[in-house]
Amino acid sequence: MLPGSSKVAKTGAVVDSDNSPRKYSRSEHNISRSQMSENALKVLYRLKKSGYEAYLVGGCVRDLLLGLEPKDFDVVTDASPEQVRKVFRNCRLIGRRFRLAHVHFGREIIEVATFRGADNGEQGDHRVHEDGRLLRDNIFGTIEDDVWRRDFTVNALYYNIRDFSVLDYTGGMQDHTAGVLRLIGEPTVRYKEDPVRMLRAVRFSVKLGFKLEASCEKALFESAHTLQGIPAARLYDEALKLFLSGKALQTFEMLRHYGLFAILFPQTEQCLAQEKNDFPRMFVAKALENSDKRIAEGKSVTPYFFLSAFLWESVQILAKEKIAQGEDDIIAYQNAANMVLSQQVKSLTIPKRVTQSMREVWLLQLRFHRRVGVKPFKLLSLPRFRAAYDFLLLRAQTGDVDIELAEWWTRFQAVGEVEQKKMTRPPRKYKKNRKKRDVTKQDSAVNSQNE
Ligand code: ATP
Ligand code: MG
């Protein structure tokens, strides 16, 4: 805790009454400018030269301290967005309520935010919804105001370009060293203000290998349900960050543990919760493990893959019910897919182009069973074949489909055209003089091939 007497801030945080930060000089931390993006440095130096304060803040400082490569470099300053625009020619202002400056350097964008202020109510605009959610967050302030609006102490460290020191108002440096993820302020208040912070808690805890501080963890269990109030579109963006992180399996386990997964994907949770059937859990885990492995190998991953895996069992259950009621296979799966997707988008929206790919992956599963004539060749030429085949492999590995089928398709892709033609040749005409029992034997072999 900071020295000096304490008071309770608006966030419920106990803060030093004079708000003075602990300053870590250049020799007391390991952040070096050589780890930073050149463009971020240019922005910081230019702001400083123009007489403004300029800091790196947030995830980049946190990650640099760990020796990780930051995803992006966020700059904060006391210059207003308009003032920032005057400093940089390559700058665009974005956002309607809280304006941010984007400084463009080819494909890299450095985001420059003006310090956010605390609303003292003088603007006559209510900032907090009756359930505690923050509605407006658009007032400029000082660094002393800005710091308390941030989520975790380790995300509230400011790297000052003026003397290369790190300013710490919340004990973030100590938490960082101890590997603790601690919310600034009273956890239930902070989760209520913005329930997405719960997802961020899980994401950062997994990414950094930090332990959630006890009261933050306790409040997670109690507040998980408030995530329901978050717009479904915002949750999609968060889901991508969670499941395309390279540590999706661990993230999934942790989200389930806190009851957060059930809110993002209620139908999946329902399947996972069935005690008698272990397949959904094994299948989802395998899919996530696969994505993590691909990311580790530097391969691409797509959102539709993990999303189709999450919802596959729900689609299958529904489709099988429809087939039992006499619906045709393909129609049953199409209808089931529609129903499951329209239910899903109530909690977490998935863009149309993504749901389209999910449908394709699901429906192509039926076509893998057709292995005679030109059909396999047609299937092979489809753009979504590869994803559907990877999905088939996962199903085979987890007992959802016969392993022989997956092996057949693996071989079909590997062999040359002559062999492919042999593999897809219709069954031979039976010799008329063959004994009846031999014919019966062949029949069953043909049937199993056409299954
Ligand atoms: P990463 O970019 O690696 O995902 P990050 O911490 O930089 O992590 P951003 O979403 O880029 O995350 O946000 C930058 C900073 O803005 C955070 O470090 C935090 O200080 C603040 N911030 C972002 N979202 C919130 C939020 N929901 N509540 C409070 N502060 C937030
Ligand atoms: Mg960031």
Side-chain angles (χ1 to χ4, degrees), residues 65-77:
L65 283 169
L66 281 176
L68 299 174
E69 192 183 330
K71 225 168 58 185
D72 44 35
F73 288 85
D74 294 320
V75 171
V76 271
T77 176

Side-chain angles (χ1 to χ4, degrees), residues 420-432:
Q420 281 181 331
K421 285 208 168 120
K422 267 194 212 161
M423 290 175 76
T424 52
R425 197 174 288 157
R428 283 205 212 110
K429 292 252 165 28
Y430 311 134
K431 285 183 184 158
K432 279 181 192 155

Side-chain angles (χ1 to χ4, degrees), residues 58-59 62 71 149-151 155 194 197 200 203:
R62 178 197 71 210
K71 225 168 58 185
R149 317 193 63 71
R150 298 194 174 267
D151 46 7
N155 281 350
D194 181 5
R197 288 174 187 152
R200 290 173 62 86
R203 182 156 68 88

Side-chain angles (χ1 to χ4, degrees), residues 164-442:
F164 315 127
S165 65
V166 172
L167 290 184
D168 178 8
Y169 290 80
T170 65
M173 199 65 128
Q174 271 179 17
D175 283 341
H176 197 284
T177 310
V180 172
L181 195 62
R182 184 194 309 272
L183 273 167
I184 300 171
E186 216 282 298
T188 38
V189 176
R190 300 310 309 281
Y191 288 146
K192 242 189 204 164
E193 279 178 359
D194 181 5
V196 167
R197 288 174 187 152
M198 294 187 279
L199 299 180
R200 290 173 62 86
V202 170
R203 182 156 68 88
F204 296 139
S205 170
V206 171
K207 169 178 170 163
L208 308 169
F210 283 14
K211 199 171 152 25
L212 264 179
E213 182 271 333
S215 66
C216 295
E217 181 173 32
K218 184 164 172 277
L220 254 189
F221 287 113
E222 291 157 9
S223 312
H225 67 278
T226 61
L227 200 59
Q228 271 162 343
I230 297 298
R234 187 174 172 206
L235 290 184
Y236 177 73
D237 294 338
E238 290 302 321
L240 296 191
K241 292 185 204 161
L242 289 161
F243 294 108
L244 299 179
S245 62
K247 292 190 175 174
L249 181 55
Q250 216 184 326
T251 304
F252 162 74
E253 305 282 6
M254 200 164 167
L255 288 172
R256 279 201 82 206
H257 177 70
Y258 294 118
L260 293 164
F261 187 80
I263 293 168
L264 302 178
F265 298 98
Q267 296 173 103
T268 312
E269 181 58 39
Q270 214 180 345
C271 295
L272 292 167
Q274 297 168 7
E275 275 182 13
K276 274 182 278 164
N277 183 1
D278 211 23
F279 162 71
R281 218 209 81 63
M282 280 188 340
F283 182 65
V284 167
K286 197 94 200 144
L288 296 177
E289 200 182 286
N290 248 28
S291 299
D292 289 346
K293 197 162 152 253
R294 285 184 68 90
I295 292 175
E297 290 166 356
K299 293 185 186 158
S300 66
V301 282
T302 60
Y304 69 78
F305 196 77
F306 79 81
L307 290 166
S308 7
F310 281 175
L311 296 172
W312 173 238
E313 181 66 354
S314 307
V315 171
Q316 284 209 96
I317 292 174
L318 211 55
K320 282 176 187 164
E321 274 173 31
K322 290 177 181 297
I323 292 167
Q325 286 160 11
E327 242 175 62
D328 166 77
D329 280 18
I330 295 191
I331 306 282
Y333 270 85
Q334 274 169 347
N335 287 340
N338 288 342
M339 286 167 76
V340 167
L341 286 169
S342 56
Q343 194 60 28
Q344 174 57 49
V345 297
K346 288 182 191 164
S347 33
L348 183 149
T349 316
I350 305 173
K352 275 239 157 57
R353 65 190 150 74
V354 178
T355 55
Q356 188 47 38
S357 305
M358 292 167 70
R359 273 179 231 272
E360 286 174 42
V361 167
W362 290 333
L363 285 162
L364 289 183
Q365 298 308 307
L366 301 182
R367 293 177 56 179
F368 281 120
H369 294 272
R370 296 174 190 161
R371 292 190 260 170
V372 171
V374 291
K375 282 180 178 157
F377 292 93
K378 280 193 182 155
L379 187 52
L380 199 59
S381 68
L382 293 179
R384 209 56 79 207
F385 172 80
R386 186 73 214 183
Y389 165 73
D390 285 343
F391 201 82
L392 178 75
L393 288 185
L394 280 185
R395 294 178 59 211
Q397 284 163 8
T398 48
D400 192 40
V401 74
D402 201 334
I403 198 112
E404 184 272 332
L405 182 68
E407 281 168 359
W408 190 93
W409 279 96
T410 306
R411 187 166 128 72
F412 185 62
Q413 293 171 78
V415 298
E417 204 178 325
V418 176
E419 192 59 27
Q420 281 181 331
K421 285 208 168 120
K422 267 194 212 161
M423 290 175 76
T424 52
R425 197 174 288 157
R428 283 205 212 110
K429 292 252 165 28
Y430 311 134
K431 285 183 184 158
K432 279 181 192 155
N433 58 358
R434 226 177 211 162
K435 284 183 184 166
K436 201 175 173 196
R437 69 167 192 278
D438 291 340
V439 174
T440 321
K441 242 193 219 166
Q442 277 198 12

